[in-house]
Amino acid sequence: MLVALWFAAAVTTVCLEVDGSLSPVVCKGPGTRLDARTEVCECPTGRRTEAPVCAAGEVPPSDNRALNVFRRKAGADGSLVGDRFQDRPVCVLPSGGPLRRP
């Protein structure tokens, strides 16, 4: 019997600027400290885009002009999940923000 396991990577929200660079995400949480969930994340500038969170030991590609051009094109569909730049996943380091499983 062949059993295949699929582990979905966590995703988070990033703000993608027109040139492909990343800008800060603003997340608003609930009114109580007992509930640690973050509810809403917005992009004051840039386009809201989903991006995978780097796995343990994984390092995102170096931030440079070539990566910005790639992100601008790859993120046109609203997601960077599954996209690879120079044979590396286009992931972001965990920031303590909201992580979701697709």
Side-chain angles (χ1 to χ4, degrees), residues 36-79:
R37 294 176 297 140
T38 304
E39 293 180 354
V40 178
C41 291
E42 301 171 340
C43 294
T45 64
R47 180 177 59 237
R48 184 183 163 124
T49 307
E50 298 295 316
V53 176
C54 297
E58 191 173 35
V59 179
S62 299
D63 211 3
N64 56 41
R65 185 169 183 246
L67 177 60
N68 287 349
V69 170
F70 178 82
R71 273 194 300 234
R72 179 173 38 110
K73 293 177 183 174
D77 63 353
S79 175

Side-chain angles (χ1 to χ4, degrees), residues 74-96:
D77 63 353
S79 175
L80 295 172
V81 176
D83 295 326
R84 297 181 74 77
F85 175 72
Q86 296 177 347
D87 202 34
R88 292 169 64 188
V90 181
C91 62
V92 294
L93 293 174
S95 63

Side-chain angles (χ1 to χ4, degrees), residues 29-39:
T32 175
R33 290 186 294 164
L34 298 176
D35 187 357
R37 294 176 297 140
T38 304
E39 293 180 354

